[in-house]
């Protein structure tokens, strides 16, 4: 990938001004559709490593990766600020559109745009697709969350314990975030908050009109197949794919299987669009 740049998002009534770390992929493919990559709850540009570039090359797309506020080199979350229960929806409906505006991604480009989200990023992709049903070509949600499961909470409790003990987790994450405690506790505190246990976006999914691929590995320790099965029930045109393995991060642990599923889906959608 190219060196990171920074976009300044102006303050709004709901938030202050933000500096957002971002990178373009495949800028030489100027006329190609854009894929926007939305990272996990502890992710950043750097944590993606080279997977977005490999997928863009396979699909013949341009790519945009960015670190959400609180992550990577973007504006850290002030330690006294807690993410609200609807924090993922705010990222989808406020921050992402503002970033696209700041980067001059036109309405015509957005109509050809694909969102590729992992975990929290998968949920953000679903929110965006529901709120802006005609402002994208399709979405891929990898290990997304649409409601809270006990296995998710248990996994985060275990991860928090590892972070606060001498396991090396905090030191490893600190390589990727300017303020590692801001990144970690922003994610852990909201997911473990009592008010978040009833969080549920299933009722919003029916507004999704764009092609949608939902992928989950059977050995995911942060969620079960109930997540993508629920998406399939709420969005009848969605394709639901179960991977035999890949854990919670199949782009890292089973990239071939994941990339095959994504490439097949995107290619079919292109063929259908041409023949329509």
């Amino acid at each position: 990938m190219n060196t990171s740049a920074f976009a300044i998002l102006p303050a709004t009534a709901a938030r202050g001004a933000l500096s957002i770390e971002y990178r373009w992929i495949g800028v030489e493919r100027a006329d190609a559709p854009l894929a926007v990559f939305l990272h996990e709850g502890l992710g950043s540009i750097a944590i993606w490593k080279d997977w977005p570039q490999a997928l863009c090359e396979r699909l013949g797309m341009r790519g945009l990766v960015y670190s959400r506020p609180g992550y990577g080199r973007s504006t850290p979350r002030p330690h006294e600020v807690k993410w609200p229960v609807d924090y993922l929806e705010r990222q989808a409906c406020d921050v992402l559109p503002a970033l696209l505006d700041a980067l001059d991604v036109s309405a015509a480009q957005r109509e050809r745009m694909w969102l590729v989200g992992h975990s929290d990023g998968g949920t953000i992709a679903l929110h965006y697709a529901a709120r802006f049903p005609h402002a994208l070509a399709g979405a891929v949600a990898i290990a997304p969350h649409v409601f809270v499961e006990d296995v998710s909470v248990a996994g985060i409790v275990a991860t928090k314990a590892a972070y606060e003990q001498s396991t090396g987790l905090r030191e490893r994450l600190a390589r990727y975030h300017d303020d590692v405690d801001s990144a970690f506790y922003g994610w852990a505190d909201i997911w473990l908050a009592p008010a978040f246990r009833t969080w549920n976006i299933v009722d919003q999914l029916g507004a999704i009109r764009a092609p949608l691929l939902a992928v989950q590995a059977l050995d995911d320790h942060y969620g079960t197949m109930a997540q993508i099965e629920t998406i399939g029930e709420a969005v009848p045109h969605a394709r639901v794919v179960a991977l035999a393995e890949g854990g919670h991060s199949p782009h890292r642990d089973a990239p071939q299987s994941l990339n095959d599923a994504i490439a097949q889906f995107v290619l079919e959608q292109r063929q259908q669009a041409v023949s329509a």
Side-chain angles (χ1 to χ4, degrees), residues 78-179:
H79 287 217
E80 72 278 7
V81 172
K82 303 297 184 184
W83 294 138
V85 171
D86 65 346
Y87 78 107
L88 295 171
E89 184 173 9
R90 294 188 186 191
Q91 290 297 318
C93 302
D94 175 13
V95 175
L96 177 53
L99 177 62
L100 296 174
D101 288 344
L103 298 180
D104 295 323
V105 179
S106 68
Q109 291 172 321
R110 295 184 204 194
E111 290 176 0
R112 302 174 66 210
M113 178 178 72
W114 282 79
L115 300 181
V116 182
H118 169 229
S119 192
D120 275 15
T123 303
I124 292 169
L126 294 172
H127 271 302
Y128 187 97
R131 177 66 68 89
F132 307 105
H134 305 295
L136 74 169
V140 177
I142 306 161
H145 308 284
V146 296
F147 57 89
V148 178
E149 294 184 278
D150 289 343
V151 66
S152 304
V153 174
I156 294 168
V157 168
T159 301
K160 183 178 181 183
Y163 184 83
E164 294 176 341
Q165 298 167 7
S166 299
T167 65
L169 176 59
R170 185 180 186 279
E171 290 72 19
R172 291 194 297 275
L173 287 173
R175 302 170 193 165
Y176 302 107
H177 305 288
D178 279 349
D179 187 333

Side-chain angles (χ1 to χ4, degrees), residues 211-214 231-232 235-240 265:
L212 173 63
L213 173 65
I231 293 171
V235 188
H237 68 269
R239 178 174 300 174
V240 173
F265 184 73

Side-chain angles (χ1 to χ4, degrees), residues 35-110:
V36 179
F37 292 84
L38 307 166
H39 64 72
E40 63 185 304
L42 291 177
S44 68
I45 287 178
I47 288 177
W48 279 118
K49 298 190 184 299
D50 62 355
W51 181 73
Q53 182 166 343
L55 185 64
C56 284
E57 289 174 355
R58 180 162 179 179
L59 299 176
M61 289 185 175
R62 294 180 299 133
L64 171 64
V65 290
Y66 72 98
S67 299
R68 294 195 301 276
Y71 300 95
R73 312 306 170 203
S74 295
T75 301
R77 172 191 61 89
H79 287 217
E80 72 278 7
V81 172
K82 303 297 184 184
W83 294 138
V85 171
D86 65 346
Y87 78 107
L88 295 171
E89 184 173 9
R90 294 188 186 191
Q91 290 297 318
C93 302
D94 175 13
V95 175
L96 177 53
L99 177 62
L100 296 174
D101 288 344
L103 298 180
D104 295 323
V105 179
S106 68
Q109 291 172 321
R110 295 184 204 194

Side-chain angles (χ1 to χ4, degrees), residues 245-269:
E245 58 185 5
H248 189 60
S249 300
H251 63 285
R252 182 191 66 206
D253 297 331
Q256 187 65 51
S257 297
L258 177 62
N259 292 355
D260 287 348
I262 295 173
Q264 180 182 12
F265 184 73
V266 172
L267 178 60
E268 289 179 4
Q269 298 307 315

Side-chain angles (χ1 to χ4, degrees), residues 189-205:
D189 286 352
I190 184 56
W191 271 90
L192 298 180
F196 199 68
R197 291 305 299 265
T198 58
W199 171 84
N200 186 309
I201 67 165
V202 175
D203 289 347
Q204 300 179 39
L205 300 177

